[in-house]
Amino acid sequence: MAGRYFLTTLAVTLGVLLGVVWVYTARFPGFYLSPGYGAWQAKFELAVARPAQSVCILGDSRAMTDLIPARIGAKVLNFGLVGTKPIEGYFMAGRLSADAAPIQAVVISYEPFHFTIAGEELASVWGAAKYGLLKGRELEEIREQARIVRDPAIFQSPTPFDIDARLKIWLLSHWFPSYYILDLISGRVAGWRNENLAEISTTLDTRGYVPVPVRPANKVVPQGGQWFKTRGGAAASMRPLGWAPAELHARVSDFARTEADLVDENAEMPGFSPAPIIDFYFRQTLELFPKEGVPVYFVSMPVNDLTLRAMSPKVRAGFASYLDGCAKAYPGFHILGEAVTSLPVVYFHDKQHLNFDGAALESERVRKLLAQASVNCGPADPDWSPAP
Amino acid sequence: MLFNSLSFVLVFLPLAFVGFHLCSLVAPRAGGRLAAAWLVAMSLLFYYWWNPPYVLLLLGSAAFNYTLGVLIQRARGRERLQSGVLWLGVTLNLLVLCYYKYFFPLLHGLNGIGFHFVAGDVILPLGISFFTFTQIGYLVDCKSGISQSQNPLNYSLFVTFFPHLIAGPILHHKEIMPQFRAPETYRINLRNIQTGIAIFILGLAKKTLIADTLLPVADAAFAKPEALSLIAAWHGALCYSLQLYFDFSGYSEMAMGLALLFNIRFPANFDSPYRSVSVIEYWQRWHMTLTRYINLYIYNPIAFWVTRRRLARGKATSRKGLKTFSGFTELVAYPTFVTLFLAGVWHGAGLQFMIFGLLHAAYLSINHAWRLWRPDPGGGPPRWHVIAWKGSLTYLAVLVGQIFFRASSSMNAVAMLRAMLNMNGLPPWNGWRAECGLEEGFSPAHLVTMMNHGSIPMVVILFAMVWFVPNVLQVFSEYEPSLSTPRTPAPEWLRWRPDWQWGAALGAIGAVALLAITGTSAFLYFQF
């Protein structure tokens, strides 16, 4: 008899605990997902409530932080999403396209690195699922496509009946808490609630422009002729160059010590070769809008000059050639400016993203490029700056 | 598939478990044949899940060795034929193992010193060492007459049974085959199910809540040991030592628990090895079935051969003979070095694994020599400070071995040891907190962060667990979870009982462990 109580109590305890966490993760994602979540939600709202004839920017975190809609024009909206690649861009584009209000033009911007696979698994899809962009149906579509193009970057190699991938999709899209537990811990259960609410209203006010840091992150500061990267208020931990080798230990690796730490991941690529699944969705995006008569423009966001120096010429040439190929294949797709551009490192907040001065400069450049392409972005506000 | 993956816990295991017991219920008259067939099918699916083409290798290996086993048994009385078939089997098994495990690393190594071989890469079939060793042992025992003729279904199950398939324990047919034959194996046994679930949950918790959280610290430390300060090096080494301990302990418990769900008892494979007070004892507690295997099939044959040779030369083989230098060298040191060298090489092709094996051979030889020549320790139980001293010395020796075991190369291991000997200096004055995993401070508010970083306080707590908390064999002693008897059972109040209190506690642990399955982190022993 005691044996039955054991199994019953075990099952009930396990079920109740798991159930409580499951319900919490599903019901209150804004409480524990980092403030990036607020920005994403704001952009989903913006996608629905956008005015007619708007100019929509799609892209990665560089596009999000480097392009200030108010400085480009009153009709510009920034739908750039942190940590995304063209796959997620396609589904964001789908949300825009599905809406009845006609779009005047779409601006796309992704760095070369985001066309490739980082690490063994492409994690951006899972991040987009957590943040609400991709639902089970979309993930399932990506899985099927990944299997067709035989790209194991997202779902790894198929298992019998592709159960591993299908199960992950089902669990993640049904908020199974194992996939959210690290967010719950780092978000201290409800630690991001206020920040997310604030982020939603700020992002709506800025029409999608989100200055870095999205979350307490790295910041580049000059000191004694050297550049340092600090992590949320940890400036006190900065040390001059040439300290004991122990500084390289993982514990202190968050703090940059040399200029090399400002060179971004584009410089680590030996050449440019897009991942099949990313290439597919990028091309899908290029097909989507011209079908509706909406022109699509590609604009590169600048890398810092240290990165540009360290970048392989093969990457630059390969990326330019890839974009040219797309422009030839899709008549509604145009490239504005160079495939890879740069700005001095002083305009950067960290190794990838521009600070406000840099973003203002870049926004002005893009404004001119769009004007040359006869895109009516509406009047720009050259004095706009984010509320303190 | 990994035991600590959601696919396994939520899909495969329930399917295998329910199917097995349904087969037992549906066809009780079949004497469990249907249930055994189901288990074989599920085990093959388990292997297929990881890499489909290698299922053919597994099946081929099982079929080949089964056939040879039958041939050896039928050739009873024809010694030369039996030996020929046995050597054919052993050679082909080892050739396949060497091809997958050593051939390509060897070519890469030769290319590194100026040769120009075309050296591709091959995926090491999971568990190839384990199923090859298991079957070589079986063939040897067929020749010795220890093994009886087997039903092919039971033999397939013996080789492929998924709880032991990819990382052990290394089973001996004598202890497993009777269980596969026994009708009670194919009946629902609530006691085994309860015990199995409880042990599986504890193993899963060890893996996901402890071992996996230590992995980043250990990996970071071994990635660049030449850059580590004294504190960082010790921190990294201790974290790895604990990671290995909890990883293998967790795996062994999960395997034991899973086997129990199917009414099978495995031999114990892990018995709190860091509590050992000598290296001899350490090997009796760490990867116990590997120790048993190499003793049975490598050490003992060599030792018997040496003994016969000495006897033929008229030399003493008694304790008195052992106490001479030549006697000790031939009878103890030589077989020990050969056996441990092979055990080291079994773990991998790199020089670091050979050093690991030879280091332990040296430890064991010194340990045996000490037992032979030490002054009489006197009667009575040893005092606590003697135990502490012996335990610390043993652990330190084991830790040095583990540096070679983990390192990516022998130079990597030497760099780590240099850092541990303070040859890289101390950390900067304001860096020690970060190097101890305490950059966010030491407070209950940062408990989770501290655990994730394998901070020094967490390392201390984990060592306290390792040394003082009774292990699964002790806690579950009354329910005989394994074929071995624990040294000492746990105190009465800590012994497991299938009551509601334990149900609630294990339910909570299980929920947290399940929540902690955030990725797919392989077990460390999977690479062997």
Side-chain angles (χ1 to χ4, degrees), chain A residues 18-73:
Chain A
L18 206 62
V20 166
V21 184
W22 198 337
V23 167
Y24 185 85
T25 51
R27 292 281 297 136
F28 306 104
F31 284 30
Y32 61 89
L33 287 172
S34 67
Y37 178 81
W40 286 58
Q41 301 313 304
K43 292 187 183 200
F44 300 156
E45 278 185 39
L46 216 53
V48 175
R50 72 184 156 74
Q53 293 304 315
S54 52
V55 176
C56 300
I57 298 167
L58 290 172
D60 50 23
S61 60
R62 290 188 198 242
M64 179 185 83
T65 60
D66 297 0
L67 295 176
I68 307 167
R71 294 265 184 144
I72 303 173

Side-chain angles (χ1 to χ4, degrees), chain A residues 2-3 164 178 185 245-246 249-251, chain B residues 7 194 217 220 227-229 434 448 498 514:
Chain A
D164 277 355
S178 290
I185 292 169
H249 186 262
R251 292 283 144 270
Chain B
S7 315
Q194 290 161 345
V217 185
L228 300 178
S229 73
V448 173
L514 202 59

